[in-house]
């Protein structure tokens, strides 16, 4: 059996394709049946401001430790949740949990939550966010919503309206994985963007690749000219930290400071700041 890949060419049948499809179908069923409270957890990763050397925010990242089929990463299950529409409920669960945790963490840190385009297209994200803020009592200014360029790509009036309404509530909007998509400069002007998160692929090679340093510098300068704050993702080494700081970038996130951790451990991190923070 050969399958067309849609471009008029044919691939040889590979048994792995069935395995992958099979696993996807299983995960989809598991996801549909999942009791979120029992199976899912949030991990939090600190975001460090390079001026104050303090943790100013934590990013909430979804984990599925209760999955019956072993270890499964967000890069695998989030797309399934998106294509099935389950991300609307799951995303609301993340928002509520993240805002609740932010209320109980020390230091009045902000919390950043990733949003999928489906949450805009299939759900009422403005209602969800305002309900969660009212329910948890988190001030809107302490919530940062991370969106990706793919949301802005189709340039729909509805998306712009929703983002403007969210912004009017007082929540901050961050453009995640910046530099990997079209990175159109018009996005930064036409949408209410408060922060850009420079994709970790640029940081990964920043020490050995002058082009990458130039790109990061250019993004930082452009963002600052538009009064947008910059965050470098995926800082793993001191060398990367030093170069990123030299570009004038405002904040960093990455394993050099801390991997994403359960709320209890992040609480400890915030109560007794890690030695490495002094290097920031
Ligand atoms: P993201 O929003 O860009 O999150 C950053 C990812 O980079 C996280 O992967 C984090 O663990 C990883 N990371 C952070 N620092 C480092 C580092 O120094 N080195 C390396 N190699 N990686 C680092 P994670 O948690 O596996 O999440 C992957 C993606 O899944 C996220 O990328 C986000 O797009 C999506 N995601 C996670 N949680 C949610 C959620 O609640 N809702 C939605 N819609 N998407 C989510
Ligand atoms: Mg993110
Ligand atoms: Mg990112
Ligand atoms: Mg990413």
């Amino acid at each position: 059996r050969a399958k067309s890949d849609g471009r008029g060419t044919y691939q040889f049948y590979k048994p792995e394709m069935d395995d992958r499809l099979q696993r996807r179908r299983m995960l989809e069923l598991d996801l549909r049946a999942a009791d979120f409270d029992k199976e899912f957890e949030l991990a939090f990763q600190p975001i460090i401001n390079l001026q104050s050397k303090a943790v100013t925010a934590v990013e909430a990242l979804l984990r599925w430790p209760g999955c019956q089929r072993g270890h499964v990463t967000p890069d695998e299950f989030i797309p399934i949740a998106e294509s099935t529409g389950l991300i609307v409920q799951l995303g609301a669960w993340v928002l509520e949990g993240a805002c609740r945790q932010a209320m109980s963490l020390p230091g009045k840190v902000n919390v950043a939550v990733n949003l999928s385009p489906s949450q805009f297209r299939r759900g009422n994200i403005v209602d969800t966010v305002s309900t969660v803020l009212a329910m948890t009592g988190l001030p809107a200014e302490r919530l940062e919503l991370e969106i990706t360029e793919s949301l802005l790509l189709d340039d729909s009036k509805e998306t712009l309206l929703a983002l403007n309404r969210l912004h009017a509530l007082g929540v901050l909007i961050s453009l995640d994985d910046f530099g990997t998509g079209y990175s159109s400069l018009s996005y930064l002007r036409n949408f209410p963007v408060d922060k850009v998160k420079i994709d970790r692929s640029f940081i990964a090679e920043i020490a050995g690749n002058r082009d990458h340093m130039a790109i990061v510098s250019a993004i930082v300068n452009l963002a600052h000219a538009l009064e947008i704050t910059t965050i470098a993702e995926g800082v793993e080494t001191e060398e990367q930290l030093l170069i990123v700081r030299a570009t004038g970038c405002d904040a960093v996130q990455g394993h050099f400071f801390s991997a994403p951790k359960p709320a209890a451990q992040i609480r400890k991190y915030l109560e007794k700041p890690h030695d490495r923070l002094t290097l920031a």
Side-chain angles (χ1 to χ4, degrees):
R1 183 158 61 106
K3 287 181 185 164
S4 168
D5 72 356
R7 286 173 298 171
T9 58
Y10 286 83
Q11 292 183 339
F12 286 105
Y13 166 75
K14 296 194 194 87
E16 310 90 80
M17 290 198 281
D18 268 7
D19 288 353
R20 237 183 295 152
L21 249 164
Q22 192 68 22
R23 180 170 159 91
R24 200 188 152 94
R25 288 209 191 93
M26 291 304 195
L27 288 174
E28 180 178 332
L29 290 174
D30 291 350
L31 213 48
R32 283 187 195 283
D35 179 336
F36 297 161
D37 288 333
K38 289 200 177 112
E39 296 185 29
F40 286 90
E41 251 172 40
L42 292 177
F44 296 88
Q45 187 178 33
I47 298 175
I48 294 101
N49 181 288
L50 292 176
Q51 207 118 60
S52 63
K53 297 176 194 277
V55 178
T56 49
V58 293
E59 178 176 3
L61 293 155
L62 190 56
R63 299 289 178 260
W64 192 4
C67 178
Q68 299 303 306
R69 270 156 246 284
H71 183 69
V72 49
T73 65
D75 287 326
E76 187 175 12
F77 70 76
I78 296 280
I80 302 174
E82 284 172 344
S83 65
T84 54
L86 286 163
I87 194 69
V88 174
Q89 286 81 42
L90 190 55
W93 183 89
V94 170
L95 261 170
E96 189 188 332
C99 292
R100 256 189 223 300
Q101 285 296 345
M103 283 297 283
S104 79
L105 286 174
K108 293 207 164 114
V109 288
N110 283 6
V111 68
V113 175
N114 294 283
L115 296 184
S116 296
S118 323
Q119 290 174 267
F120 284 78
R121 291 176 191 141
R122 301 201 200 194
N124 188 338
I125 191 63
V126 184
D127 275 358
T128 305
V129 167
S130 35
T131 303
V132 166
L133 290 173
M135 234 165 38
T136 60
L138 187 75
E141 302 73 35
R142 287 179 56 196
L143 178 61
E144 306 181 4
L145 298 174
E146 299 195 0
I147 59 167
T148 54
E149 290 170 88
S150 59
L151 174 69
L152 311 179
L153 203 68
D154 62 3
D155 225 349
S156 83
K157 280 208 183 75
E158 289 76 18
T159 301
L160 179 62
L161 193 66
L163 286 172
N164 282 333
R165 286 200 176 133
L166 289 168
H167 210 232
L169 291 176
V171 304
L172 302 170
I173 309 288
S174 298
L175 203 45
D176 205 352
D177 304 336
F178 193 77
T180 55
Y182 285 79
S183 308
S184 167
L185 305 185
S186 61
Y187 293 155
L188 300 182
R189 279 196 40 216
N190 298 342
F191 293 92
V193 175
D194 300 292
K195 307 190 177 195
V196 299
K197 299 189 76 174
I198 304 166
D199 192 69
R200 108 172 111 81
S201 57
F202 295 105
I203 311 307
E205 289 181 50
I206 202 169
N209 188 325
R210 293 189 130 269
D211 290 350
H212 281 198
M213 180 171 174
I215 290 169
V216 172
S217 277
I219 295 174
V220 168
N221 290 334
L222 170 82
H224 285 172
L226 297 170
E227 289 176 25
I228 292 169
T229 300
T230 50
I231 301 161
E233 301 189 289
V235 172
E236 295 180 349
T237 67
E238 188 172 3
E239 190 181 16
Q240 290 168 350
L241 171 67
L242 293 176
I243 299 172
V244 162
R245 195 174 41 197
T247 67
C249 189
D250 302 291
V252 290
Q253 175 177 1
H255 293 169
F256 181 70
F257 290 102
S258 170
K261 288 184 172 142
Q265 287 180 46
I266 280 301
R267 168 181 305 283
K268 284 190 194 132
Y269 190 97
L270 294 170
E271 281 166 354
K272 186 190 172 298
H274 197 278
D275 291 345
R276 279 201 176 159
L277 284 177
T278 58
L279 297 171

